[in-house]
Amino acid sequence: MSAPPIVALEVGTSTVRALVGELTDEGQLIVTGMGESPSRGVRKGEVIDFDNALACVRDALQKAEDNSHVTINAVHLLVSGGHISSHVNHGSAPVLGDDHEIGPADIENAEKMARAVSLPTGHEVLHSIHQRYLVDGNLPVVNPEGLEGTKIGVDMLIVHGQCNAMRNIVRVVRSAQVDVADVAFSGLCTALAVLTPAEKKNGVLMMDLGGGTTDYIAYAEERLADAGAFAVGGDHLSNDLAFGFGLPPSEAERIKLEFGTAVPDFALRNQTVTVNPGTGQPPRQVRLADLQTILHVRIEEILVLVREQLRQNKLISKLGSGVVLTGGGARLKKVEQLAEKIFGLPCRIGKPREVSGMVSVMEQPECAAVVGMLRYAAKSVPPRSGIIDWIIKIFRRKS
Amino acid sequence: MNASLRLVEGEGVLAAAAPYRLLVLGVGGGGCRAARHVASLLSDLNVAAIDSDDQALKETALPVQLSIGRALTRGFGAGGDAAIGKVAAEDEDVKLRKLVEGMDLVFVITTLGGGTGSGAAPVVARLAHEQGALTICFASTPFDFEANRDKGAAQEALRQLRMHSDATICLPNQRLLEIVPDQAPLKSAFDASDHMISMAVIGIWKLLTEVGLIRLNFSDLKNLVENSGGACSFGYAEGEGPDKAQQASQALLASPLLDHGNVLAQADAFLVNILGGPDLALLDVQRVMSNIQQVAKHEAKVFMGATVDDDWQGRLMVTVLAAEHWVARTPLAPVVPPPAPPEPAVAAPVAAAQAGESAAVLPAQSELVFEKRDRGRFEKSEPTKHGDEDLDVPTFLRRGIKILSDRA
């Protein structure tokens, strides 16, 4: 038997999803089981109703256990939410020792300085990812170890989020009698699952159009350049329809999936769609043109939000490989077309790569994040950042 | 002192033409261009150009020109900044008031998305309205490809116009792309836009002045626009030959200006004018009306007119002005909505500040106020704010996009 199975858990806004996978000795990722449960109690990636969320987590884990025939003791947990954002921090340290040869200790010192950031109150570091090293302030190098210099500098991307929001999700999972082995930003995991090495090298923007949040990750100049999330997503699309047509959420969701498109189709403008308002009201007709317009302006707004964020950091021109869309929102018809127009870059739909096992998983953009988490967990025995250890410790102590 | 004063000196010229004293004002570069187009089509109209760019103003070659914001821009234009356009117009408050004084009807023509049009037009409209003229604005919104034009500012300006005028007819340029062939030179797209505005102005002007078989008068127009809730749509179509009535009404219903007939189908009230030559037959009128009425709501209020013009022998034009809402106006409705929470800065406070004393006096138009609705799905979550916008509020509501389907 190879390494023990890994379980990734995503407590999403529309779905709670647990994925069980194994890494073979050859480094191949095999998915052996999955459990999904429609999510209740989560909005915009954050827990708003503890009991409902817990029930959904239990349900999803149970299904995953039945499915994969393993007992789940610990999970690798994905987090998202509008509170997650990132910024670049620089740290530097003098090279110690008489020979001025850079050793691991020097690099570590510099990294330590780069990790020492001042964050908004209540925020903690979720990931710190090194971007590049600078020796004596000169051109960046990939690996400074063994080079000579007097000063070593490092740029790090610090991904941080609000403590309370992340702790709430961990609490829910812990209450389901399962350990949390690790916590990672879902955008980062999704990028691991869908982006090719070439895309990361040329520069790419990955957007995970989720139910409650839109996560984004940008690679530029061969490094992770930006990461974050906005608390708008597919839920908002449905909610806009529900409001515009006076429909219950479930019916709004249905017409979104059935008739939704990101770019209005003029040929169909005069058609109507029958909707069922429920609560004893008779079915009625709504205009397809209205439906498409409502969705178009919302999805356009979301994409523009991300574009403006990247513009601020002057990244748009560095995305040689264009835009990759994934998550449930990537299923919206013509969404690539709209993204191409808004970003002025080629766009593709990203699905989990290099996975074997359950075929259904590979075909679904929604599964990208959990697949990425399996890879993240399998590859790295990551040096845990402070918060995660701390959160986990707190709960260990209690239980 | 300069050309702008000529108007005031030669008032007699303006007053002569018609029973209604009408003034057409082009505001901003695009507005002036369209105004010039109007003047070239109808010579007996009083047309004036208002711009902050002296050079552009000169090119319009209109008899009455008013340069605004000299102190601010030194006559070089507002540079796409609506704030400058607004201040420029406010600076010329006295001259502008003089310009519109004594008018019964003022048409303000502008293209939104730039500086002078977006900023100055609402001020001009407000002043005209304050001077007692029925003020109708014709505003075109930019084509999607006009990246240099700020669409957000255009929407905001449109809202301001609707608030300060009796009615604003919005002519989205983007709809024109369906008419202009793909291969057409770029200029023709803008020409089409100018032409569209001109036709709207002329159509309404004709309806008021020409000899009518069935006469529509000023009070009909006033009635329609004052109760329209501020938003009107305009459409027109022509027909020629023996089949002209059928042709024109079909073209009208297929016209993208009226959203392929949807605007008519949804309108609560509309005004139809049929313009024809001396050969205009009762049957033609009947045909057009029955075609329109087939599409329209049963309970829709219809004002109808037919006019004859010798130039139109053998031809026929149908013009439609549709009010999307019919709100019987309550006189002196409160202008500022009851203590609005600091929502996405609804234009009301701005308007109140800007309108100053006038806000209290004018039965200003009701503005689309965001219903303070329960937050539904997002009730228990932190509102998603971006800048000063609440992203949980549907985008289409924030942008003022009208949904024509019935709600419940």
Side-chain angles (χ1 to χ4, degrees):
Chain A
M1 190 64 199
S2 54
I6 313 160
V7 184
L9 178 68
E10 182 182 29
V11 186
T13 306
S14 47
T15 313
V16 177
R17 189 178 282 116
L19 198 67
V20 185
E22 280 168 34
L23 197 69
T24 64
D25 295 333
E26 295 82 45
Q28 176 76 4
L29 195 61
I30 302 176
V31 173
T32 54
M34 178 164 77
E36 282 182 332
S37 178
S39 181
R40 285 171 295 137
V42 182
R43 289 283 178 277
K44 300 174 183 173
E46 297 173 36
V47 177
I48 58 159
D49 183 329
F50 189 89
D51 294 332
N52 273 336
L54 176 57
C56 298
V57 167
R58 282 209 175 108
D59 184 42
L61 288 174
Q62 184 63 50
K63 283 178 184 162
E65 284 190 341
D66 293 349
N67 216 309
S68 61
H69 311 291
V70 297
T71 311
I72 297 173
N73 296 317
V75 295
H76 294 257
L77 183 64
L78 291 143
V79 291
S80 184
H83 54 89
I84 292 178
S85 59
S86 67
H87 64 259
V88 178
N89 204 40
H90 182 79
S92 67
V95 176
L96 303 174
D98 296 333
D99 53 358
H100 294 300
E101 190 185 310
I102 297 167
D106 299 314
I107 298 175
E108 200 165 300
N109 280 340
E111 286 185 352
K112 207 192 263 171
M113 297 305 291
R115 283 198 194 100
V117 284
S118 64
L119 297 174
T121 355
H123 274 237
E124 283 290 344
V125 175
L126 195 51
H127 300 278
S128 50
I129 297 149
H130 76 255
Q131 292 188 314
R132 57 175 184 174
Y133 297 100
L134 297 157
V135 177
D136 293 342
N138 282 333
L139 286 174
V141 291
V142 181
N143 184 6
E145 208 176 323
L147 299 179
E148 267 186 32
T150 55
K151 202 178 94 179
I152 164 112
V154 61
D155 283 342
M156 294 196 103
L157 186 76
I158 310 291
V159 183
H160 54 90
Q162 207 184 26
C163 246
N164 284 341
M166 296 190 284
R167 204 155 46 184
N168 280 338
I169 292 214
V170 174
R171 260 179 64 210
V172 169
V173 179
R174 294 280 312 163
S175 303
Q177 308 299 316
V178 173
D179 262 329
V180 175
D182 200 359
V183 176
F185 171 44
S186 69
L188 202 65
C189 295
T190 311
L192 279 178
V194 302
L195 297 181
T196 65
E199 281 173 335
K200 290 184 199 171
K201 191 161 178 288
N202 296 334
V204 65
L205 165 68
M206 193 279 316
M207 260 183 285
D208 182 347
L209 306 169
T213 61
T214 299
D215 301 344
Y216 68 92
I217 291 275
Y219 284 86
E221 295 168 334
E222 303 189 36
R223 57 180 186 258
L224 186 59
D226 198 359
F230 290 103
V232 277
D235 255 12
H236 286 83
L237 291 167
S238 308
N239 190 59
D240 290 2
L241 288 179
F243 184 78
F245 297 140
L247 297 175
S250 56
E251 181 69 356
E253 181 76 15
R254 181 187 74 82
I255 59 171
K256 174 182 84 174
L257 297 180
E258 200 163 329
F259 306 104
T261 156
V263 182
D265 186 344
F266 276 96
L268 303 175
R269 282 186 78 76
N270 290 321
Q271 290 190 8
T272 56
V273 165
T274 310
V275 294
N276 202 341
T279 61
Q281 294 175 51
R284 57 190 153 83
Q285 301 286 315
V286 299
R287 297 173 71 226
L288 197 56
D290 286 337
L291 187 154
Q292 294 182 342
T293 305
I294 292 174
L295 293 180
H296 170 72
V297 292
R298 172 63 86 172
I299 192 81
E300 180 186 60
E301 181 175 70
I302 295 174
L303 296 177
V304 167
L305 215 54
V306 177
R307 184 188 69 190
E308 293 313 305
Q309 167 72 26
L310 294 198
R311 256 195 200 155
Q312 264 175 30
N313 295 336
K314 302 190 173 58
L315 290 173
I316 297 272
S317 59
K318 297 174 185 163
L319 307 175
S321 283
V323 180
V324 176
L325 298 178
T326 183
R331 288 184 185 273
L332 191 65
K333 279 182 215 110
K334 296 191 187 169
V335 69
E336 321 91 284
Q337 200 180 319
L338 184 66
E340 279 181 2
K341 192 182 138 206
I342 288 174
F343 286 91
L345 293 167
C347 173
R348 72 170 180 98
I349 300 297
K351 289 175 186 166
R353 298 169 51 242
E354 291 171 8
V355 198
S356 47
M358 299 174 77
V359 180
S360 60
V361 171
M362 292 177 264
E363 287 310 309
Q364 291 181 35
E366 292 93 330
C367 291
V370 273
V371 171
M373 183 48 141
L374 290 184
R375 188 160 290 147
Y376 177 84
K379 260 193 194 163
S380 54
V381 184
R384 279 184 191 152
S385 54
I387 168 105
I388 294 157
D389 260 350
W390 178 68
I391 291 174
I392 293 167
K393 258 185 234 149
I394 284 179
F395 286 101
R396 289 243 165 87
R397 236 181 290 146
K398 273 188 191 163
S399 52
Chain B
M1 207 161 76
N2 61 29
S4 63
L5 292 177
R6 234 194 291 162
L7 167 78
V8 185
E9 288 155 12
E11 228 166 20
V13 185
L14 283 178
Y20 325 101
R21 280 157 304 165
L22 165 78
L23 178 62
V24 178
L25 292 173
V27 181
C32 290
R33 207 176 56 219
R36 183 186 176 189
H37 196 81
V38 172
S40 71
L41 293 171
L42 263 188
S43 53
D44 54 349
L45 224 49
N46 298 315
V47 184
I50 300 173
D51 200 356
S52 56
D53 182 338
D54 283 358
Q55 186 60 35
L57 209 50
K58 208 181 273 172
E59 279 167 20
T60 62
L62 287 169
V64 183
Q65 300 171 356
L66 177 58
S67 167
I68 55 170
R70 272 266 172 76
L72 216 64
T73 67
R74 292 201 248 135
F76 288 127
D81 187 344
I84 293 183
K86 178 165 172 271
V87 177
E90 281 167 349
D91 279 356
E92 303 294 345
D93 177 280
V94 179
K95 282 185 194 165
L96 286 169
R97 275 181 201 273
K98 252 211 156 129
L99 194 66
V100 294
E101 202 172 31
M103 292 294 155
D104 294 312
L105 190 58
V106 171
F107 288 169
V108 178
I109 308 179
T110 189
T111 54
L112 300 179
T116 313
S118 301
V123 180
V124 173
R126 172 170 61 86
L127 293 174
H129 185 73
E130 280 173 27
Q131 293 295 313
L134 183 74
T135 310
I136 303 182
C137 297
F138 298 81
S140 70
T141 53
F143 289 104
D144 281 356
F145 63 73
E146 289 180 87
N148 57 335
R149 299 222 146 204
D150 185 341
K151 284 163 194 107
Q155 288 303 327
E156 175 57 30
L158 193 60
R159 207 160 68 178
Q160 296 273 337
L161 279 179
R162 286 188 170 154
M163 209 154 47
H164 292 306
S165 62
D166 288 284
T168 295
I169 299 168
C170 174
L171 305 155
N173 276 343
Q174 191 60 21
R175 282 190 188 168
L176 284 176
L177 286 190
E178 284 182 54
I179 311 178
V180 182
D182 284 352
Q183 297 305 320
L186 186 59
K187 186 172 176 297
S188 68
F190 290 101
D191 287 348
S193 169
D194 291 347
H195 192 67
M196 172 170 72
I197 296 189
S198 308
M199 290 318 282
V201 171
I202 292 168
I204 292 174
W205 175 239
K206 286 259 183 215
L207 143 182
L208 292 174
T209 53
E210 296 292 330
V211 186
L213 290 174
I214 305 163
R215 186 67 183 269
L216 266 175
N217 56 33
F218 187 69
S219 59
D220 291 327
L221 178 69
K222 204 163 146 84
N223 196 353
L224 181 86
V225 298
E226 283 186 347
N227 293 299
S228 67
C232 286
S233 292
F234 169 82
Y236 73 96
E238 294 174 23
E240 210 170 351
D243 203 17
K244 54 188 185 290
Q246 198 66 22
Q247 272 178 26
S249 42
Q250 271 168 8
L252 183 77
L253 295 179
S255 163
L257 295 179
L258 294 175
D259 196 10
H260 307 279
N262 280 322
V263 172
L264 279 180
Q266 299 292 332
D268 289 323
F270 54 87
L271 180 153
V272 183
N273 190 49
I274 301 166
L275 172 67
D279 61 335
L280 180 69
L282 188 61
L283 188 67
D284 292 331
V285 176
Q286 200 184 352
R287 246 187 220 150
V288 171
M289 290 314 289
S290 75
N291 276 332
I292 290 177
Q293 264 158 350
Q294 265 172 22
V295 196
K297 283 188 196 167
H298 276 301
E299 66 276 19
K301 227 171 147 53
V302 185
F303 301 88
M304 189 236 145
T307 46
V308 169
D309 184 328
D310 291 342
D311 296 345
W312 283 76
Q313 177 74 34
R315 289 191 296 157
L316 178 147
M317 177 164 85
V318 189
T319 12
V320 170
L321 190 62
E324 296 177 12
H325 295 285
W326 182 265
V327 212
R329 190 117 90 154
T330 42
L332 289 178
V335 180
V336 185
E343 267 295 277
V346 181
V350 184
Q354 181 183 100
E357 77 287 358
S358 62
V361 187
L362 285 176
Q365 256 170 256
S366 59
E367 164 72 331
L368 259 179
V369 182
F370 286 132
E371 304 167 39
K372 190 67 192 166
R373 63 193 188 90
D374 69 304
R375 297 166 32 81
R377 200 165 160 69
F378 305 115
E379 197 176 351
K380 286 185 190 158
S381 63
E382 191 78 2
T384 304
K385 294 272 185 192
H386 186 77
D388 52 2
E389 273 189 295
D390 182 353
L391 298 185
D392 290 342
V393 176
T395 315
F396 74 91
L397 272 188
R398 276 179 281 128
R399 304 230 179 122
I401 293 169
K402 204 172 132 53
I403 298 303
L404 299 175
S405 300
D406 294 333
R407 280 198 68 210

